[in-house]
Amino acid sequence: MTDVSYHEFDKLDAEQRAALLRRSETDLSGVIEKVKPIIEAVRMEGDAALVRFARDLDKADLSAGGLKATEAEFDAAFDQVEDSVVEAIKFGIDNIRRFHEEQKPEAMWLKEMRPGAYAGDRFTPIRSVALYIPRGKGAFPSVTMMTAVPAVVAGVPELAIVTPPAPDGSVDAATLVAARLAGVETVYKCGGAQAVAAVAYGTETVKPALKIVGPGSPWVVAAKRLLAGVIDPGLPAGPSEAVIFADDTVSGGLAALDLLVEAEHGPDSSAWLVTHSRRVAEEALAALPDHWAEMTEQRVAFSKAVLTGPYGGILLTPSVEESYRFVNDYAPEHLEILSTDPFAHLSHITEAAEILMGPHTPVSIANFGLGPNAVLPTSRWARTFGPLSVTDFVKRASIGYVTASAYPEFAAHARTLARYEGFSSHERAVSDVRETYLRGER
């Protein structure tokens, strides 16, 4: 049997425990150096660089005129995708839209802070956003659904998808179906670091955007970091990661089944089963070969690379409290609480971007359309970021309005603090000088 990484937490020293928290994107120094010339080439050469990188990196045959998906390609996609897949996409989009419509903030609110003085917020959509849809290790119409729907709900007027082309220069047909059904008709055939550079700087074909969202490889993550001064990189979403927390009320075979879900994304993913039950840990270990026997060769290779390497495996803790502590330290992208009473554990988990409760809520259901967004912060960023949401596609402006009757009280306090802080113009702006202008005496 393949040697799955198996750790007993109380037998690890501090350095070994810290190593369990690492992800493949933790150290991007080597990738960043490789990404820099790609970014510069796109900035200087535009479409020509995108075509060259499509050929050299994606092994795709593109001409400069083929960088954008045509209306005919969109139309043809509906004939290429099975009806059942189209229906699954529609089902997911409907749920995702319902969820994000509830999340959408009201356009403006004002509260009377004092009699005659009002303050509040106004929300307006970001003018232009690019949606990154990965393809290197598969096709992901679900990511299109998760990024496009909240952006459309938010009312972003200029939306575009960037996604790597296939060798024949095509875009994944289901991605085009999901894009159109969600309300996005602009799709550019470029991926990786070059796609991030393209939407940051713009090219002859690709329109620049103010923000880019969506998960990607370490190359995409590195490009976002390097271009953060040019384009808003959105929440930090890198290679997939999951923690399956299991107590003694569930089958270890079930835990192993769910452990493989995010592990099969690619060898740079992270996936841990965390349990304080030795029975569950041993059952999971024993069940993995049977699960692998039913998976496709590529996904077996990916998940074995994860579960036998430094970024995944099975962790047996000495107590449920230690399991909670590890989960919170890890701050996973996806967390499953596998238990017949998941709510008994929920209050102990504070650091996770997505928490899926009970044996009937696997990551698969959440990824494909339960409603909450499955584009999530990775690499411990769940400690400060939440899931992609409508609010990622809008900007907030504070609104203030003080009436003539409320002005004197506010002005008096403002003068006091302005004088204390040494700002003479601040003080004059609420002094008798203003009064003479308001009375029309100046």
Side-chain angles (χ1 to χ4, degrees):
M1 175 185 170
T2 302
D3 291 329
V4 173
S5 298
Y6 186 98
H7 305 278
E8 296 194 24
F9 196 68
D10 56 353
K11 294 180 180 178
L12 303 178
D13 60 30
E15 184 176 344
Q16 290 170 321
R17 292 181 180 187
L20 300 181
L21 305 177
R22 295 179 190 142
R23 274 70 148 188
S24 61
E25 63 184 287
T26 301
D27 182 9
L28 292 174
S29 57
V31 178
I32 283 176
E33 291 307 310
K34 296 175 183 177
V35 163
K36 284 180 180 178
I38 294 175
I39 291 174
E40 184 62 14
V42 173
R43 187 180 73 86
M44 297 298 295
E45 302 172 44
D47 282 359
L50 294 181
V51 171
R52 185 172 71 255
F53 289 130
R55 182 187 67 242
D56 296 344
L57 301 179
D58 297 316
K59 311 305 178 187
D61 182 18
L62 286 181
S63 66
L67 283 168
K68 184 178 179 182
T70 65
E71 186 174 349
E73 288 178 280
F74 273 94
D75 294 340
F78 282 82
D79 295 326
Q80 298 166 17
V81 178
E82 293 181 7
D83 290 344
S84 61
V85 176
V86 174
E87 287 305 308
I89 290 172
K90 288 180 178 178
F91 177 82
I93 284 176
D94 182 58
N95 293 331
I96 296 163
R97 183 176 288 116
R98 290 171 186 241
F99 179 89
H100 289 85
E101 283 175 347
E102 290 297 319
Q103 198 178 61
K104 185 178 180 180
E106 57 184 311
M108 187 173 79
W109 64 269
L110 284 174
K111 180 178 180 179
E112 192 171 28
M113 311 304 291
R114 301 273 177 168
Y118 302 85
D121 285 326
R122 186 185 70 166
F123 295 89
T124 55
I126 296 171
R127 189 174 70 250
S128 58
V129 180
L131 314 174
Y132 188 86
I133 312 301
R135 193 177 180 181
K137 303 181 185 72
F140 303 103
S142 59
V143 178
T144 304
M145 294 151 57
M146 291 294 178
T147 54
V149 170
V152 171
V153 169
V156 177
E158 297 179 21
L159 282 170
I161 286 170
V162 286
T163 188
D168 64 358
S170 67
V171 174
D172 168 59
T175 293
L176 291 178
V177 168
R180 176 168 281 180
L181 292 175
V184 179
E185 294 277 347
T186 301
V187 175
Y188 297 119
K189 302 174 185 179
C190 53
Q194 60 269 31
V196 182
V199 295
Y201 293 116
T203 71
E204 297 89 334
T205 298
V206 180
K207 293 183 65 174
L210 297 173
K211 185 171 186 174
I212 181 169
V213 303
S217 69
W219 291 68
V220 172
V221 175
K224 286 181 179 181
R225 289 187 188 177
L226 287 170
L227 289 165
V230 181
I231 187 171
D232 181 341
L235 66 88
S240 300
E241 58 183 56
V243 168
I244 310 301
F245 166 94
D247 66 14
D248 196 40
T249 66
V250 296
S251 161
L254 178 64
L257 185 70
D258 288 355
L259 179 63
L260 291 165
V261 172
E262 292 302 293
E264 73 171 349
H265 271 279
D268 54 0
S269 298
S270 304
W272 289 100
L273 167 60
V274 178
T275 182
H276 51 287
S277 167
R278 186 174 295 275
R279 174 191 61 79
V280 169
E282 291 176 351
E283 287 179 359
L285 190 64
L288 283 170
D290 291 337
H291 294 321
W292 275 323
E294 300 300 321
M295 292 166 57
T296 61
E297 184 177 348
Q298 182 191 47
R299 301 302 167 180
V300 170
F302 286 164
S303 58
K304 282 186 175 180
V306 173
L307 297 181
T308 62
Y311 306 126
I314 297 173
L315 178 64
L316 177 64
T317 66
S319 66
V320 66
E321 290 79 17
E322 284 293 345
S323 292
Y324 297 148
R325 188 171 295 112
F326 179 81
V327 171
N328 286 325
D329 285 344
Y330 195 87
E333 176 192 21
H334 303 277
L335 170 68
E336 276 189 33
I337 298 181
L338 275 185
S339 170
T340 56
D341 185 14
F343 287 92
H345 301 293
L346 181 60
S347 64
H348 301 280
I349 307 296
T350 58
E351 313 298 325
E354 174 184 73
I355 304 175
L356 303 175
M357 310 282 286
H360 296 96
T361 320
V363 171
S364 308
I365 285 179
N367 277 353
F368 295 131
L370 179 61
N373 210 289
V375 176
L376 305 160
T378 58
S379 200
R380 303 183 81 191
W381 284 109
R383 294 177 296 174
T384 57
F385 282 86
L388 190 71
S389 71
V390 169
T391 57
D392 287 290
F393 297 97
V394 299
K395 57 190 184 297
R396 181 172 58 89
S398 297
I399 303 293
Y401 172 59
V402 177
T403 63
S405 61
Y407 170 78
E409 180 182 19
F410 280 87
H413 290 298
R415 283 195 300 273
T416 298
L417 289 175
R419 190 178 307 120
Y420 178 83
E421 294 188 0
F423 290 112
S424 55
S425 289
H426 281 63
E427 182 180 356
R428 280 175 56 79
V430 285
S431 70
D432 291 342
V433 176
R434 187 179 205 85
E435 296 288 347
T436 60
Y437 281 108
L438 293 173
R439 292 193 298 265
E441 297 172 3
R442 286 197 182 193

